[in-house]
Amino acid sequence: MPLYRDFSDDNATILVWKYDESEELDIHELLEPENAEKVKDYHPKKLLEVLMVRKLLKGLKPSSKILYKEREPFLSPHDAEISITHSFPFAAIAISKNKIGIDVEKFNPKILRVIDKFTYENERGFIPEDKADTFYTIIWSVKESMYKIHHSKYWSLKKNYEVKPFELKHLHKISCRVYDEQFSDEFKARVEFFDDYCFTIVEA
C-alpha cells in the first residue's frame, strides 16, 4: 500500500495515504457491515476516501473496526483513541493512547469568503494580506482538529475554538484552545504542508 506520509510521534501513529488507481479497495472486504447503510448514497470519491481509511486501519489493527457514535468515529474494540480525515486524493488516520484530532484541507482562496463563519475580526490582526488564504486555511484546520477532540452540538468554530497568533516559520507548536463560560482547555497544534494541502494534528 503506497503510504504517502508518516507523521507518527511517541504517543500516536499518524499516517497519510494518497490514492493510487492501481490499489484495489474491496468494499466487501474493508467496510464494516454496521456502516453499510451510512455510505449507500456516498459519491464514489467519498466512498473511496472511506475505504482508504479502512485500508490504513487494516495495516495497523487488523481486527479493529471504525464505528460511530453521533457521527464521532471510535475504535471497536475501544483499546485506543482514533481520528480520521480525508480530502480526495488523501486520507489519513491517527491512532493514539490519548485523545487526538487530525484534519486535512486543500489551500483555496475561496476560504476568504467565509472567514466570518469561523473567526472574529479581532482575531485577524496578525494575518498578512498576501498570505491570508494560507493563514485562514490553517486556522480552519486547527479548529477542525480541536473539534474532533472536544466537541458539542451547542458549540461553533467561531465562538468556542481559538487559534492564537502564529508565524508560518513556527508551525509545530501553535497555541490554541477550546472554551466556553465554564472552562478553557489549552492545546498545541502541529501543522504540516504537502501537495498544496494543510495537515493539522492536535493531541490532548
Side-chain angles (χ1 to χ4, degrees):
M1 178 177 156
L3 183 65
Y4 187 74
R5 290 286 191 277
D6 184 340
F7 295 119
S8 303
D9 58 28
D10 291 343
N11 295 316
T13 300
I14 306 165
L15 305 178
V16 181
W17 179 19
K18 187 175 183 181
Y19 179 65
D20 181 343
E21 290 183 1
S22 66
E23 186 81 19
E24 186 175 343
L25 296 170
D26 185 341
I27 188 170
H28 303 293
E29 175 192 336
L30 296 173
L31 187 71
E32 305 87 354
E34 295 91 333
N35 292 322
E37 187 68 19
K38 177 182 173 67
V39 306
K40 66 182 178 67
D41 296 321
Y42 277 15
H43 184 279
K45 278 187 178 177
K46 187 171 183 181
L47 182 59
L48 281 175
E49 293 169 351
V50 169
L51 297 179
M52 287 162 67
V53 167
R54 270 62 186 178
K55 189 92 173 190
L56 283 165
L57 179 65
K58 290 287 184 190
L60 296 171
K61 296 175 76 69
S63 59
S64 294
K65 297 179 179 181
I66 298 175
L67 302 179
Y68 295 86
K69 181 180 180 182
E70 296 177 357
R71 297 177 59 195
E72 182 184 4
F74 66 90
L75 277 178
S76 177
H78 197 168
D79 56 358
E81 300 293 336
I82 187 173
S83 184
I84 61 178
T85 184
H86 35 72
S87 178
F88 196 83
F90 292 103
I93 190 169
I95 295 176
S96 176
K97 45 190 160 184
N98 303 317
K99 280 278 193 182
I100 188 167
I102 60 172
D103 184 68
V104 61
E105 301 286 342
K106 186 174 177 63
F107 288 110
N108 189 330
K110 289 181 180 178
I111 197 168
L112 299 179
R113 301 176 188 172
V114 297
I115 59 174
D116 287 331
K117 293 187 176 179
F118 65 96
T119 62
Y120 288 107
E121 193 170 338
N122 62 8
E123 294 180 280
R124 306 171 192 162
F126 71 99
I127 297 174
E129 196 173 323
D130 62 333
K131 297 278 188 183
D133 55 335
T134 299
F135 275 79
Y136 284 116
T137 302
I138 292 169
I139 291 169
W140 172 270
S141 191
V142 170
K143 289 189 175 189
E144 284 283 338
S145 291
M146 282 193 288
Y147 178 84
K148 292 176 180 180
I149 292 178
H150 236 320
H151 66 93
S152 165
K153 62 184 177 181
Y154 303 110
W155 289 351
S156 75
L157 293 186
K158 183 171 183 173
K159 294 179 180 178
N160 301 102
Y161 300 84
E162 180 185 13
V163 179
K164 304 289 178 64
F166 61 89
E167 299 177 11
L168 294 183
K169 60 183 178 182
H170 299 300
L171 290 177
H172 279 194
K173 288 188 177 181
I174 295 177
S175 295
C176 50
R177 69 173 181 141
V178 184
Y179 66 98
D180 65 13
E181 293 82 3
Q182 274 77 48
F183 84 104
S184 175
D185 265 5
E186 307 276 339
F187 299 98
K188 295 289 185 184
R190 173 160 50 122
V191 179
E192 307 283 354
F193 293 164
F194 52 78
D195 275 28
D196 206 29
Y197 280 76
C198 166
F199 184 67
T200 63
I201 304 159
V202 176
E203 298 183 70

